[in-house]
């Protein structure tokens, strides 16, 4: 006898719109695989795209394609407006000044930019870089490379058995006088939400530069970088329903202005001579070469789409799904869930193992 289906307590609407109408906006979800509709559960890695984003990228290539900042003709003006319009949208999403938004390839590139452009000039032998054991490789490897080049050391903060950050260990690490504290906002494996504003305040009081990896946070909760107070905050477009190939580094204006460029080439310069080169203003000096214009158009559309649904509504729906999934998974024999087992300080990312 098949088991009796257990009805889900999850709401059928998000942000005042039915789930079915939202699903219908994602073309790929109309596919069938092995005779069944697609059930996509890999959002920790990347998310599917609504039609509005696909159409924005397609529309750029069909109607507005040109390079940006380099021509006075109509197509270049339109392309520039799309590109810079996306920057303005992202800045508003994060509560930042548009001049504090640098477009990169993804969040990995964003963290590498901060680590290399700031770290190489400001770190030296014996300086400490504080990381947590729940960081994504994107927020480990760049600092490891910088430590190798500068003689700095990595100082690790552990997690407890429930998958939460060891706050006493973090306070102790900050008390050792680090130059950098770099933490994730939401763990990509455990789903744990870190109290980043508290950590940043502690770190800044100790004189440390702060960076927050927001790849898993920006798509599912409102983020105000000024309220968090971090010097750098990064996220990636493809996890915010946007295209691959574009990410964002927010940096406090005075810090970005003080940094030397990470890469050289076209666009990021003001004047080039045989003896001297001067840089463009922030943020352009960090965007060498032809930028990801089509991707920016898609990211701008993604931000608009997310805001139309509502980040608070999206986050609440994910927490409802998580609250339903955790106890149901817990009923499976020999299955172990990693991370907090309640939704008080975790988001909708669930990792588990099954014995054997």
């Amino acid at each position: 006898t098949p088991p009796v289906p257990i009805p889900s307590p999850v709401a059928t609407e998000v942000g005042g719109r039915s789930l079915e109408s939202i699903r219908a906006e994602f073309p790929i979800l109309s596919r069938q695989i092995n005779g069944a509709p697609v059930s996509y559960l890999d959002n920790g890695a990347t998310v599917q795209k609504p039609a509005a984003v696909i159409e924005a990228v397609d529309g750029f290539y069909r109607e507005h394609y040109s390079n940006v900042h380099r021509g006075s003709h109509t197509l270049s003006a339109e392309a520039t407006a799309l590109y810079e319009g996306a920057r303005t949208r992202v800045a508003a999403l994060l509560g930042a000044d548009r001049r504090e938004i640098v477009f990169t390839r993804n969040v990995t590139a964003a963290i590498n930019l901060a680590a290399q452009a700031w770290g190489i000039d400001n770190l030296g032998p014996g300086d400490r870089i504080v990381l947590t054991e729940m960081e994504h490789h994107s927020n480990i490897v760049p600092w490891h490379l910088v430590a190798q080049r500068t003689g700095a050391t990595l100082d690790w903060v552990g997690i407890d058995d429930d998958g939460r950050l060891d706050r006493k260990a973090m306070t102790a690490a900050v008390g050792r006088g680090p130059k950098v504290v770099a933490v994730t906002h939401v763990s990509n494996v455990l789903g744990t939400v870190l109290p980043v504003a508290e950590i940043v305040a502690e770190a800044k009081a100790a004189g440390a530069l702060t960076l927050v990896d927001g790849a898993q946070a920006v798509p599912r909760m409102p983020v105000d970088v000024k309220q968090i107070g971090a010097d750098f905050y990064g996220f990636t477009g493809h996890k915010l329903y946007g295209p691959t190939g574009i990410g964002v580094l927010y940096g406090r204006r005075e810090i970005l202005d003080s940094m030397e460029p990470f890469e050289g080439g076209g666009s990021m310069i003001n004047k080039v001579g045989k003896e001297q080169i001067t840089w463009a203003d922030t943020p352009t000096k960090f965007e060498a070469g032809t930028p990801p214009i089509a991707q920016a158009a898609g990211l701008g559309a993604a931000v608009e789409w997310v805001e139309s649904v509502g980040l608070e509504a999206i986050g609440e729906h994910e927490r409802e799904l998580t609250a339903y999934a955790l106890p149901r998974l817990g009923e499976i024999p020999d299955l172990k869930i990693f991370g907090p087992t309640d939704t008080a300080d975790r988001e909708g990312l669930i990792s588990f193992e099954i014995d054997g």
Side-chain angles (χ1 to χ4, degrees):
T1 302
V4 177
I6 297 177
S8 169
V10 178
T12 58
E13 292 188 352
V14 177
R17 297 162 62 182
S18 73
L19 288 177
E20 287 307 311
S21 70
I22 292 175
R23 282 182 61 88
E25 294 187 46
F26 289 77
I28 202 167
L29 297 184
S30 65
R31 277 197 65 186
Q32 289 202 348
I33 298 177
N34 298 325
V38 170
S39 294
Y40 183 79
L41 298 176
D42 201 17
N43 293 306
T46 193
V47 302
Q48 300 298 339
K49 317 304 170 192
V53 171
I54 298 169
E55 290 163 3
V57 175
D58 181 67
F60 168 71
Y61 283 122
R62 288 180 182 274
E63 300 178 16
H64 310 291
Y65 182 76
S66 178
N67 215 323
V68 296
H69 301 144
R70 301 184 185 190
S72 58
H73 55 86
T74 299
L75 293 179
S76 181
E78 291 174 350
T80 300
L82 282 170
Y83 184 71
E84 293 301 335
R87 194 191 309 275
T88 300
R89 280 195 178 279
V90 169
L93 179 74
L94 299 180
D97 186 300
R98 63 181 309 278
R99 294 167 295 181
E100 297 175 311
I101 301 299
V102 181
F103 284 138
T104 64
R105 188 177 68 257
N106 44 40
V107 72
T108 300
I111 297 173
N112 272 278
L113 193 163
Q116 296 287 336
W118 186 90
I120 296 299
D121 288 339
N122 290 278
L123 293 172
D127 286 337
R128 293 177 180 272
I129 302 168
V130 171
L131 305 173
T132 79
E133 291 182 354
M134 66 175 74
E135 299 307 312
H136 188 279
H137 292 160
S138 296
N139 201 27
I140 294 175
V141 180
W143 298 110
H144 175 79
L145 293 171
V146 167
Q148 282 187 323
R149 292 185 59 183
T150 63
T153 59
L154 302 183
D155 196 352
W156 296 93
V157 176
I159 58 179
D160 64 21
D161 292 339
D162 293 325
R164 294 179 174 87
L165 183 70
D166 186 334
R167 289 291 285 115
K168 289 183 179 179
M170 173 60 77
T171 298
V174 170
R176 291 190 283 272
K179 276 289 192 72
V180 176
V181 175
V183 298
T184 187
H185 196 160
V186 176
S187 168
N188 70 300
V189 172
L190 303 172
T192 309
V193 182
L194 271 66
V196 289
E198 294 177 13
I199 295 168
V200 165
E202 278 187 18
K204 293 180 77 170
L209 181 96
T210 54
L211 178 143
V212 176
D213 173 2
Q216 299 291 353
V218 171
R220 48 181 51 88
M221 65 176 67
V223 170
D224 186 329
V225 292
K226 301 299 184 183
Q227 185 179 41
I228 293 170
D231 299 302
F232 294 111
Y233 191 103
F235 75 91
T236 198
H238 69 90
K239 293 179 182 177
L240 187 69
Y241 305 94
T244 56
I246 188 165
V248 169
L249 177 68
Y250 156 81
R252 285 201 299 114
R253 181 77 188 279
E254 55 268 36
I255 293 181
L256 291 177
D257 285 346
S258 71
M259 289 161 49
E260 291 294 301
F262 175 44
E263 297 176 313
S267 299
M268 49 74 67
I269 42 83
N270 178 36
K271 186 176 182 180
V272 176
K274 292 182 177 180
E275 304 299 330
Q276 185 180 16
I277 300 174
T278 57
W279 313 129
D281 292 334
T282 303
T284 308
K285 71 176 178 178
F286 299 111
E287 297 178 357
T290 297
I293 312 166
Q295 291 87 341
L299 179 58
V303 171
E304 184 176 7
W305 184 85
V306 164
E307 290 177 333
S308 74
V309 180
L311 272 169
E312 289 188 0
I314 290 171
E316 179 58 30
H317 180 65
E318 286 203 9
R319 283 185 288 276
E320 287 181 358
L321 287 170
T322 307
Y324 176 70
L326 287 171
R328 300 297 290 126
L329 286 169
E331 294 174 6
I332 299 173
D334 301 319
L335 184 145
K336 177 184 178 181
I337 296 171
F338 297 106
T341 54
D342 60 67
T343 57
D345 52 3
R346 76 168 296 153
E347 291 292 332
L349 297 146
I350 304 174
S351 296
F352 58 88
E353 70 173 3
I354 298 176
D355 186 43

